[in-house]
Amino acid sequence: MIAMFDSGLGGLSIWKAVTRSLPAWPVTYLADQAYCPYGPRSQREIATRTLQICRYLADQGATLIVIACNTATSAGIDHVRKALPIPVVGVEPAIKPAAAASRSGKISVLATQAMLASQRFDSLVHRHAATVEVIPRPGLGWVEQVEAGDLNSAHTRKLVGDVIQPLLQQDVDHIVLGCTHYPFLAPLIREMVGDQVVLDDPADAIARRVASLIDSRPILPMTDRHYRFLTTSPDPAPMAAVLPALIGMSYPVQSTGLD
Ligand code: DGL
């Protein structure tokens, strides 16, 4: 099976693309809600937690792991790749394609505080966006709204508007969604920016990368365990309640018992 994880439910934006492109593969999705959000945590803490979760998923029988979280990828993917013998795919903000396609020469990267403070972010900007102006902004409070399945309330609109409205004054023509939670707020962002600004979401590129690393043939008959959803929260009910708002379907959710 393909195993995926995120600090919470944001990685479901990647889950949707992967399950669409590889429908025959069973996928186990783990939300580390006991530790969510990762954004305010230190690189070291996130790296340790990322390795712990990936070991757990490998023990569950993962063929391949997708770290469906920019923050965990930047802090921990190198350690995970050294520690585990299976392919590990990470997610990075789509800075390269955004910078290459920008006509105004100004792009914004929206990501968590930890991601924006990471060496990996500096290195991505240095390598791929040296010729454009990059405006980094954290989506403060956005992750919590997506975790609650609250994608369009007055409070969510205020939190999103506080970040997006100032960007509109700055002639930005690409907004990189550098946190996997943010694509769930893309309809709201689109409403605010109109159709002249491109929102860069890496989900389809990740799905292509996963497909290139594994056999796309059906390997197992579909069962009711084809898609499994796990949370590190002791109470799985809130995640089960929010799944329909994020992926349009209901599934049972189990607690992992992982501390
Ligand atoms: N979804 C995550 C990311 O892509 C992190 C959100 C958080 O826990 O702060 O970076």
Side-chain angles (χ1 to χ4, degrees):
M1 55 95 171
I2 297 170
M4 309 181 57
F5 97 94
D6 176 39
S7 60
L9 305 179
L12 292 170
S13 60
I14 308 287
W15 180 92
K16 287 201 276 188
V18 168
T19 54
R20 204 167 39 233
S21 91
L22 292 162
W25 274 82
V27 179
T28 294
Y29 182 92
L30 185 149
D32 189 15
Q33 292 181 307
Y35 269 60
C36 189
Y38 284 179
R41 296 180 186 275
S42 71
Q43 301 288 324
R44 194 172 174 169
E45 192 181 3
I46 300 165
T48 305
R49 185 64 175 170
T50 298
L51 183 54
Q52 184 187 6
I53 290 189
C54 289
R55 282 195 200 282
Y56 173 85
L57 293 172
D59 289 346
Q60 299 282 307
T63 311
L64 174 150
I65 294 175
V66 183
I67 303 181
C69 174
N70 296 262
T71 311
T73 299
S74 77
I77 197 167
D78 295 341
H79 305 285
V80 177
R81 285 192 170 133
K82 276 185 204 133
L84 298 181
I86 54 176
V88 181
V89 175
V91 181
E92 280 184 340
I95 293 174
K96 184 178 179 181
S102 174
R103 284 196 260 160
S104 70
K106 281 193 181 182
I107 68 169
S108 179
V109 181
L110 308 182
T112 65
Q113 295 122 291
M115 180 69 217
L116 296 176
S118 70
Q119 277 181 356
R120 213 172 179 99
F121 174 70
D122 283 347
S123 144
L124 279 171
V125 171
H126 186 73
R127 280 185 286 137
H128 303 303
T131 58
V132 299
E133 184 180 337
V134 178
I135 302 174
R137 292 282 180 271
L140 293 178
W142 293 16
V143 167
E144 289 79 354
Q145 297 310 104
V146 173
E147 288 297 303
D150 179 351
L151 308 181
N152 201 7
S153 68
H155 184 52
T156 304
R157 297 179 82 86
K158 160 106 179 60
L159 291 170
V160 172
D162 285 349
V163 175
I164 297 299
Q165 299 300 348
L167 293 176
L168 290 177
Q169 316 301 320
Q170 301 195 52
D171 199 24
V172 157
D173 67 351
H174 279 254
I175 296 180
V176 176
L177 303 177
C179 166
T180 52
H181 282 75
Y182 299 173
F184 289 109
L185 298 171
L188 198 49
I189 300 173
R190 171 64 62 214
E191 202 184 300
M192 293 176 187
V193 300
D195 52 14
Q196 297 303 311
V197 175
V198 179
L199 304 181
D200 293 278
D201 173 3
D204 289 332
I206 301 301
R208 285 193 296 276
R209 176 80 188 129
V210 172
S212 75
L213 291 170
I214 56 175
D215 194 334
S216 63
R217 280 182 300 121
I219 50 160
L220 292 170
M222 282 212 187
T223 68
D224 58 353
R225 286 168 66 82
H226 196 69
Y227 296 138
R228 290 181 69 212
F229 292 90
L230 306 174
T231 177
T232 56
S233 163
D235 181 7
M239 175 167 166
V242 170
L243 281 181
L246 301 185
I247 59 172
M249 278 175 285
S250 292
Y251 286 98
V253 178
Q254 291 169 295
S255 289
T256 56
L258 200 79
D259 297 324

